[in-house]
Amino acid sequence: MLFSSLLIGLREGLEAALVVSILVAFLVRTDRRSALRWVWPGIAAAVVLSVGVGAVLTFTTAQLSFEQQELLGGSLSIVAVGFVTAMIFWMRKASKSIAAELRGKMDNALAIGPLAVLLLSFLAVGREGLETAVFFYAAVQSAQGGTTEPLIGFAVGIAVAIALAYGLYRGAIRFNLGKFFTITGVLLVFVAAGVLGYGLHDLQEAGFLPGLHTLAFDASAAIPETSWYGALLKGIFNYSQQTTVLQAVAWVAYVAIVLPLFLRRPAVKTTPVVAGTKE
Amino acid sequence: MTLRKTPLVVAGSAALLALSACSGGDQKAAAGGPITVEATDTACTVSATTANAGNLSFEVTNKGTKVTEFYLYAQGDRIMGEVENIAPGLTRKLTIEVPDAGTYQTACKPGMSGDGIRGAFTVTGGAGRKTDTNTQLADATKSYATYVASQSDALLTETQKFADAVKSGNVADAKARYAPTRTYYERIEPVAEKFGELDPAIDVREADLEEGQQFTGFHRLEKDLWVTGLQPDSGQIADKLVTDVTTLVNQAKTIQLSALDLANGAKGLLDEVATGKITGEEETFSHTDLWDFQANLDGSKAAIQSLRPVLQERDPQLVSEVDIQVKNVQTLLDKQRSGDGFKYYTELTQDQIREFASAVDALGEPLSKVAEVVAQ
């Protein structure tokens, strides 16, 4: 009971925490701490908005229709993919300048506006924020009804996600810079591919895109989303146990296009170890 | 922390809040609150398997050990709504707008995988029935015909007992049976009135007798029982009453009513109350007017009940209005109950009578629009 709620919290919190931690690590490593002050308002805005709308949906008769919900989630996901993709290439550019021993001269390459940092943080957190907030309220209401386990589990899950992300951040800033860029970049490619697939799946569920029941594979038995490893995979890479053909094609296409683009003329001599595919 | 949100974020927030606010829509209160769903690892128990079209609220409680999801599917597994991440021990709400009648499926998905534990769910009314309005009207008349048949049977049985009491000279028993027996007649009076001479023969008032018309039926026996004492021909009158009621009942069962008849009947019954019952003229000897009053209201309610699906679809506002006013009249009647029946009309104060009159008028208002809606 507690554990399954914990996994939900972990899953919902992980992706946002991950993207934010990579962003923060990146800004710290590239001596752009000044941009850090844009991260927190972005996160705060997303949290406030999610919690606010979640409250409206929970405590009033207002409701989002299923289509509105999925359209919102799906479109935000696809916008987020755009941003994460931009961030990947921005990192690549940065890593090239680093490889070129242009340390301290990175400002041009890193001409990232505060707005971009803010929006990326906002999107990373806000994308799943609404569902998370509504879940949180349901957990609170159940807690008032005498079942505190879901709430505790959920809170612990979020905390674990943040701890993992912090660990990643600590680890990441210990890598040498070139490696850091490559590894986090590759990681982000897969994260973004997952977000893209997830967003498309939302749009399929809402009926905007066809083929909801045309599955590429069904790994419900092998890697269930309700297991801890399934939850981790879902949290980080948006793995879904039942993947539609459209989702799979989009995922493969994204990785096939973006990964080589990111890795061509690698900035560092060591060829990076490409993380295994999702499945 | 100073939160210097960019205009974009603010605009986004505003849009989202507006979206969630405006899509609240008009909450059609589902009768009896939300439909509860109890999900376990092996079962998916839905508290109701039918609902009227509109906003359906589900409250899903996970009593199993696995995280579950709840879906409402339309034909071909089109998702009407879903709620995910229902952790064990959690209750989550889901409101889905289902505008069309039809067959749907509920599904719980323990472990959030597979096709889930399905159950059939029927939605009635709504726009999906537009093409089917003739069926709806036919259903209405059929349902009302059933009501008429059940009341007629009771009327015949009770009239027989009442007549027997009169014929055996048991005045106390006959008096006690009088008002309850008439109840069955008064409930279906609009139908009775369709049979020309039968209605006056059974139900004529002394004051309304025409030149040369014999005073027969219930009210003649009422006068005998309460005023003059039983007459030599009271037994014959009682026999004639049974014969007339038998004829009426046989005809009532074969009569083809239209939905419009129902609508007019519902209104007619109320007019009865407003013009006849409220003055105390109907039961001028026994003063059991409130029994008739209640029976007329019952009959009116039954007709509206049969028409409800049609009305709900065409003019839900009117249905609520009728319901409210019916309740008002019923509340006033309930105040005057005494034992199994009611107080005598003579025990009411002028104020109470006025109160009745205005409540009846207030109900007549929406009822007079029913026929129009049915005729659309």
Side-chain angles (χ1 to χ4, degrees):
Chain A
M1 192 156 176
L2 196 139
F3 186 65
S4 49
S5 301
L6 185 150
L7 285 182
I8 292 174
L10 177 65
R11 202 181 63 210
E12 300 292 331
L14 203 53
E15 179 201 318
L18 205 72
V19 172
V20 170
S21 75
I22 290 177
L23 179 67
V24 170
F26 181 80
L27 293 173
V28 169
R29 286 306 306 266
T30 53
D31 287 330
R32 299 192 50 80
R33 286 174 180 272
S34 62
L36 277 181
R37 62 199 168 92
W38 295 105
V39 173
W40 315 122
I43 295 173
V47 169
V48 167
L49 181 64
S50 301
V51 167
V53 175
V56 168
L57 295 180
T58 305
F59 301 112
T60 70
T61 54
Q63 61 196 66
L64 286 175
S65 76
F66 179 66
E67 278 80 9
Q68 287 169 321
Q69 232 168 330
E70 299 300 294
L71 189 59
L72 192 76
S75 350
L76 274 183
S77 297
I78 286 162
V79 173
V81 171
F83 268 85
V84 174
T85 310
M87 180 173 163
I88 292 167
F89 285 103
W90 164 60
M91 285 171 57
R92 182 174 165 277
K93 221 170 176 176
S95 67
K96 260 169 56 184
S97 357
I98 295 161
E101 300 295 330
L102 289 172
R103 307 205 55 168
K105 291 281 180 197
M106 288 196 306
D107 280 4
N108 298 342
L110 294 179
I112 175 172
L115 184 67
V117 174
L118 184 132
L119 276 179
L120 184 56
S121 318
F122 176 82
L123 277 172
V125 176
R127 201 176 68 78
E128 282 293 274
L130 188 58
E131 161 63 13
T132 310
V134 173
F135 178 89
F136 171 74
Y137 283 118
V140 169
Q141 285 175 330
S142 297
Q144 287 161 343
T147 325
T148 51
E149 287 194 17
L151 182 60
I152 294 167
F154 182 69
V156 172
I158 296 272
V160 170
I162 293 173
L164 279 177
Y166 182 73
L168 180 89
Y169 161 79
R170 298 297 303 175
I173 56 174
R174 272 210 290 275
F175 278 114
N176 84 49
L177 210 48
K179 219 181 211 162
F180 165 78
F181 282 135
T182 311
I183 291 173
T184 52
V186 169
L187 182 66
L188 282 177
V189 169
F190 287 103
V191 169
V195 175
L196 176 66
Y198 183 88
L200 290 174
H201 188 260
D202 271 356
L203 296 180
Q204 284 181 308
E205 285 200 314
F208 288 106
L209 293 173
L212 179 62
H213 301 290
T214 320
L215 295 185
F217 63 87
D218 184 347
S220 307
I223 313 173
E225 284 173 19
T226 46
S227 64
W228 65 268
Y229 45 95
L232 278 175
L233 273 175
K234 191 172 177 71
I236 301 171
F237 299 115
N238 267 296
Y239 154 80
S240 43
Q241 57 194 14
Q242 285 178 312
T243 298
T244 64
V245 169
L246 180 74
Q247 224 179 326
V249 167
W251 190 91
V252 169
Y254 182 90
V255 172
I257 293 166
V258 176
L259 196 61
L261 280 178
F262 175 73
L263 292 175
R264 82 200 143 117
R265 291 188 12 219
V268 281
K269 287 158 205 73
T270 52
T271 30
V273 182
V274 178
T277 52
K278 294 204 305 178
E279 289 78 51
Chain B
M1 154 180 37
T2 53
L3 205 103
R4 292 168 53 192
K5 283 200 267 186
T6 65
L8 189 71
V9 173
V10 176
S13 320
L16 196 55
L17 281 164
L19 185 68
S20 62
C22 73
S23 53
D26 49 345
Q27 284 288 315
K28 195 178 71 178
I35 298 162
T36 56
V37 180
E38 195 176 291
T40 65
D41 295 355
T42 52
C44 184
T45 316
V46 184
S47 70
T49 53
T50 56
N52 281 330
N55 282 331
L56 308 189
S57 295
F58 293 92
E59 215 168 62
V60 190
T61 304
N62 186 353
K63 300 211 167 167
T65 59
K66 297 176 182 169
V67 179
T68 192
E69 293 174 335
F70 177 79
Y71 285 78
L72 183 71
Y73 288 110
Q75 298 276 328
D77 278 8
R78 189 164 59 87
I79 302 172
M80 296 302 294
E82 63 161 357
V83 57
E84 297 171 339
N85 292 334
I86 312 168
L90 212 57
T91 298
R92 297 198 59 175
K93 293 185 184 72
L94 170 69
T95 305
I96 311 171
E97 193 187 344
V98 184
D100 298 324
T103 312
Y104 295 81
Q105 279 192 318
T106 50
C108 298
K109 297 192 179 179
M112 305 203 294
S113 65
D115 287 338
I117 303 161
R118 300 289 182 107
F121 192 88
T122 313
V123 175
T124 54
R129 289 285 289 267
K130 279 271 190 286
T131 52
D132 209 10
T133 187
N134 289 340
T135 316
Q136 260 183 327
L137 293 173
D139 284 350
T141 52
K142 212 184 303 176
S143 125
Y144 187 69
T146 312
Y147 175 78
V148 170
S150 74
Q151 297 303 311
S152 317
D153 287 339
L155 172 64
L156 188 51
T157 320
E158 294 306 311
T159 305
Q160 187 64 61
K161 288 179 188 166
F162 170 68
D164 290 347
V166 169
K167 282 177 6 187
S168 63
N170 190 339
V171 174
D173 185 39
K175 277 171 124 176
R177 290 187 175 281
Y178 173 77
T181 303
R182 283 185 48 75
T183 294
Y184 299 106
Y185 186 82
E186 289 290 337
R187 281 178 186 160
I188 56 170
E189 194 159 21
V191 181
E193 283 171 351
K194 284 192 166 299
F195 304 123
E197 288 307 300
L198 274 175
D199 179 47
I202 294 170
D203 196 34
V204 72
R205 304 173 187 177
E206 193 177 27
D208 299 343
L209 284 172
E210 286 164 22
E211 197 66 39
Q213 188 185 352
Q214 201 203 347
F215 187 23
T216 59
F218 279 114
H219 294 304
R220 159 63 208 274
L221 292 170
E222 178 200 7
K223 188 177 178 183
D224 294 356
L225 290 167
W226 267 273
V227 182
T228 59
L230 288 177
Q231 300 296 304
D233 65 345
S234 290
Q236 287 167 320
I237 297 287
D239 281 336
K240 181 173 163 26
L241 177 64
V242 173
T243 312
D244 287 344
V245 167
T246 309
T247 314
L248 176 94
V249 166
N250 290 336
Q251 290 189 3
K253 285 187 177 173
T254 57
I255 192 171
Q256 290 293 321
L257 292 167
S258 73
L260 206 52
D261 290 333
L262 268 57
N264 292 329
K267 177 73 171 87
L269 281 161
L270 255 283
D271 293 344
E272 269 291 316
V273 176
T275 56
K277 310 289 190 296
I278 212 76
T279 57
E281 292 165 51
E282 178 82 15
E283 307 291 355
T284 188
F285 312 113
S286 67
H287 304 301
T288 54
D289 301 82
L290 288 187
W291 275 263
D292 296 355
F293 191 160
Q294 177 69 61
N296 288 159
L297 185 65
D298 289 344
S300 189
K301 278 202 286 198
I304 293 295
Q305 196 56 36
S306 301
L307 291 168
R308 188 174 290 271
V310 184
L311 297 175
Q312 191 70 51
E313 185 176 299
R314 296 182 182 178
D315 195 348
Q317 192 79 40
L318 181 64
V319 177
S320 335
E321 180 65 17
V322 169
D323 286 347
I324 291 167
Q325 300 301 348
V326 163
K327 208 169 156 211
N328 275 347
V329 177
Q330 189 59 64
T331 309
L332 290 179
L333 273 167
D334 289 344
K335 280 188 196 160
Q336 305 305 333
R337 284 190 186 279
S338 151
D340 289 344
F342 293 90
K343 286 183 187 161
Y344 292 113
Y345 194 76
T346 42
E347 295 173 64
L348 296 181
T349 65
Q350 280 306 311
D351 278 351
Q352 285 170 329
I353 291 170
R354 263 196 294 275
E355 215 179 354
F356 268 126
S358 67
V360 169
D361 283 345
L363 172 56
E365 183 64 32
L367 276 183
S368 60
K369 296 179 191 151
V370 169
E372 197 183 322
V373 174
V374 168
Q376 272 173 18

